[in-house]
Amino acid sequence: MPVNDYRGLSFWHDTVPDDLAPRPPLPGDLDVDVAIIGGGLTGLWTAWYLLERDPTLTIAVLEKQIVGFGASGRNGGWCSALFPRSTASLARTHGRDAALAMRRAMIATVDEVGRVAASIGTDIDFVKGGTVAFARSKVQLAAARAEVAEAASFGVDQHQLWGPDRVRAAGALGASFDPACARLHPAKLVRGLARALEARGVTIYEQTEVIDYVPRRITTDRGSVRCNVVVAATEGYGAGLPATARRVLPLYSLMIATEPLPDATWDEIGIAHGQTFTDFRHLLVYGQRTADNRFAFGGRGARYHWGSAIRPEYDRTPAVFDHLRRTLGELFPVIGDTAVTHRWGGPLGVARDWHASAHYDRATSIASAGGYVGDGLSTTNLAGRTLADLVTGTDSELTTLAWVNHRSPSWEPEPLRFLGANAGLLAMSIADGEERITGKSSWVAKVMGSFTGH
């Protein structure tokens, strides 16, 4: 991709204080202690915490494009305590104590991201304002009440149920509020973290495509890297590597950003700086108020592509962008004809059982983490700390968490993968329509919830 095109990847890339010029590629064969595949947040956080554990390590990061090219630089900017599987689902799979430990770790991670960013002097627009989930029908209000009650039953969250007097989204009957979320600018985070790592001696090679890897050796289009430890940190892009082709499904999520809105309009909207927002529909939407007073708003709906294909043209689907703009206007009619200035998207990684994981095989010295299903902006930090402890043999609470060495099933071969993934997207749309028409909880959603573990 030409250098000038990187600005067009997303609103975040367009507004990051960085020229986005690629770093030099791998100059040839290399020997290091740790080689990391992928210049996103999983790989960079792992490098950061490895150096915290052992400052003598030599570490190289290998990136096909530029740091933050993928989901780490294009996401919705929610640094939340969300995990792809709910606490209740984790309790059913791993037991109550394990589920509580995972939830506590995720809550603590939100503050950890802000702490490290501040410590390296990187302004990432971090404001911890929580998440408001609007309930815009009786069915959604029941879901909000159930969410708050479930959180209370585990006793580690501070979820609240808000009445209609506290929310201003159109038709809102109330909302749930989770304080464990911060708004931030993801490209500022990932680019700033990369610069801080270079200052600590990590070498980042961009424009270097990894072709394959085996224990202690990575093959790229620029040469081979021999290492003691391989860290595979590719998330959705892992579908393009032989070693991980069916471990992860790349599912596209798309976003828009509006022109800046006056403070008076935001007062009418009722979204404060630092707050993120969503509602209880099944086909997920998510948004934030940016530091410069725009809406950054996204959602699912783009289809899965045959053979787990990832191509630049899939980042932009006009019908989905139109849907997002209509939905934003329906939520907040006060925005009127506010213009959309940026449209973008990209793939996120989905494990077959919707269960993120962090792995380390001491026999092969291969570490990996991923399957965040869009909840990776904070979970990558927990992954980095966890992998650092596993690789260095550090005993900690993190290495006993339920996601450590969890093995998700492989995705089905085509055409079953194509049919199943796109049927799931269609089912969520049908469920939302069913609930609007009947005013009752969708049986389709219940079936899909059991499929995804929620």
Side-chain angles (χ1 to χ4, degrees), residues 28-257:
D29 293 348
L30 180 70
D31 289 274
V32 291
D33 293 323
V34 180
I36 297 172
I37 307 169
L41 286 171
T42 297
L44 298 185
W45 280 127
T46 301
W48 181 266
Y49 291 106
L50 279 170
L51 290 178
E52 295 283 288
R53 310 295 185 264
D54 184 354
T56 69
L57 290 172
T58 56
I59 302 174
V61 177
L62 307 169
E63 167 58 44
K64 181 179 179 180
Q65 297 282 351
I66 61 169
V67 162
F69 173 85
S72 293
R74 304 190 213 178
N75 60 68
W78 286 35
C79 185
S80 78
L82 293 173
F83 192 77
R85 296 282 289 264
S86 68
T87 305
S89 173
L90 290 173
R92 291 191 295 270
T93 303
H94 303 286
R96 182 180 176 87
D97 289 345
L100 292 177
M102 194 75 217
R103 182 62 183 169
R104 290 190 184 101
M106 287 300 307
I107 292 171
T109 296
V110 177
D111 292 326
E112 174 68 3
V113 171
R115 183 194 70 78
V116 176
S119 76
I120 62 177
T122 298
D123 181 3
I124 61 171
D125 301 338
F126 184 98
V127 180
K128 189 178 179 184
T131 297
V132 180
F134 299 112
R136 301 177 64 234
S137 68
K138 290 182 179 179
V139 173
Q140 291 191 7
L141 184 59
R145 288 171 173 156
E147 179 185 89
V148 173
E150 181 179 290
S153 73
F154 287 103
V156 297
D157 285 283
Q158 301 297 320
H159 273 55
Q160 302 169 23
L161 185 67
W162 287 1
D165 58 314
R166 297 193 64 179
V167 293
R168 297 180 190 169
L173 305 178
S176 70
F177 177 72
D178 179 2
C181 185
R183 180 243 18 224
L184 58 78
H185 187 301
K188 289 182 179 180
L189 172 60
V190 68
R191 303 292 294 182
L193 184 57
R195 291 191 297 272
L197 282 167
E198 289 176 311
R200 298 179 70 182
V202 172
T203 306
I204 300 173
Y205 298 103
E206 297 180 333
Q207 309 294 289
T208 301
E209 182 178 2
V210 171
I211 298 169
D212 200 3
Y213 65 91
V214 295
R216 302 174 182 83
R217 187 181 185 90
I218 298 172
T219 303
T220 82
D221 62 346
R222 305 279 186 166
S224 295
V225 180
R226 294 174 293 272
C227 54
N228 296 324
V229 176
V230 172
V231 178
T234 53
E235 192 52 349
Y237 293 89
L241 290 172
T244 52
R246 284 176 53 198
R247 291 186 196 169
V248 64
L249 182 142
L251 185 65
Y252 275 76
S253 194
L254 273 58
M255 293 194 69
I256 59 173

Side-chain angles (χ1 to χ4, degrees), residues 360-429:
Y360 182 57
D361 185 334
R362 194 162 295 281
T364 63
S365 295
I366 294 177
S368 64
Y372 308 123
V373 198
D375 294 326
L377 189 51
S378 51
T379 314
T380 49
N381 176 276
L382 182 60
R385 286 182 283 141
T386 303
L387 293 183
D389 285 352
L390 291 169
V391 168
T392 59
T394 303
D395 290 329
S396 72
E397 292 181 357
L398 299 183
T399 61
T400 66
L401 290 173
W403 75 326
V404 172
N405 292 329
H406 171 80
R407 182 63 67 180
S408 298
S410 294
W411 282 94
E412 291 81 359
E414 300 292 15
L416 297 178
R417 187 159 75 244
F418 180 86
L419 294 172
N422 287 314
L425 290 172
L426 178 61
M428 293 298 97
S429 295

Side-chain angles (χ1 to χ4, degrees), residues 173-373:
L173 305 178
S176 70
F177 177 72
D178 179 2
C181 185
R183 180 243 18 224
L184 58 78
H185 187 301
K188 289 182 179 180
L189 172 60
V190 68
R191 303 292 294 182
L193 184 57
R195 291 191 297 272
L197 282 167
E198 289 176 311
R200 298 179 70 182
V202 172
T203 306
I204 300 173
Y205 298 103
E206 297 180 333
Q207 309 294 289
T208 301
E209 182 178 2
V210 171
I211 298 169
D212 200 3
Y213 65 91
V214 295
R216 302 174 182 83
R217 187 181 185 90
I218 298 172
T219 303
T220 82
D221 62 346
R222 305 279 186 166
S224 295
V225 180
R226 294 174 293 272
C227 54
N228 296 324
V229 176
V230 172
V231 178
T234 53
E235 192 52 349
Y237 293 89
L241 290 172
T244 52
R246 284 176 53 198
R247 291 186 196 169
V248 64
L249 182 142
L251 185 65
Y252 275 76
S253 194
L254 273 58
M255 293 194 69
I256 59 173
T258 69
E259 62 186 331
L261 298 167
D263 284 338
T265 302
W266 281 107
D267 290 342
E268 289 187 64
I269 291 167
I271 299 292
H273 275 298
Q275 281 185 342
T276 59
F277 66 90
T278 183
D279 66 14
F280 282 90
R281 74 187 67 205
H282 300 289
L283 196 62
L284 178 69
V285 295
Y286 51 91
Q288 65 148 283
R289 176 183 179 177
T290 66
D292 64 347
N293 272 354
R294 302 170 189 260
F295 274 111
F297 185 68
R300 307 288 162 77
R303 69 182 184 87
Y304 162 80
H305 299 278
W306 181 275
S308 295
I310 297 174
R311 296 176 184 168
E313 56 264 36
Y314 299 159
D315 296 346
R316 287 166 170 78
T317 304
V320 177
F321 291 139
D322 291 345
H323 164 73
L324 290 173
R325 181 58 182 85
R326 285 194 306 272
T327 300
L328 185 60
E330 290 166 1
L331 282 168
F332 306 107
V334 69
I335 69 174
D337 60 357
T338 296
V340 171
T341 60
H342 297 76
R343 299 167 178 83
W344 74 97
L348 51 87
V350 183
R352 179 61 178 80
D353 58 357
W354 288 54
H355 194 310
S357 58
H359 289 269
Y360 182 57
D361 185 334
R362 194 162 295 281
T364 63
S365 295
I366 294 177
S368 64
Y372 308 123
V373 198

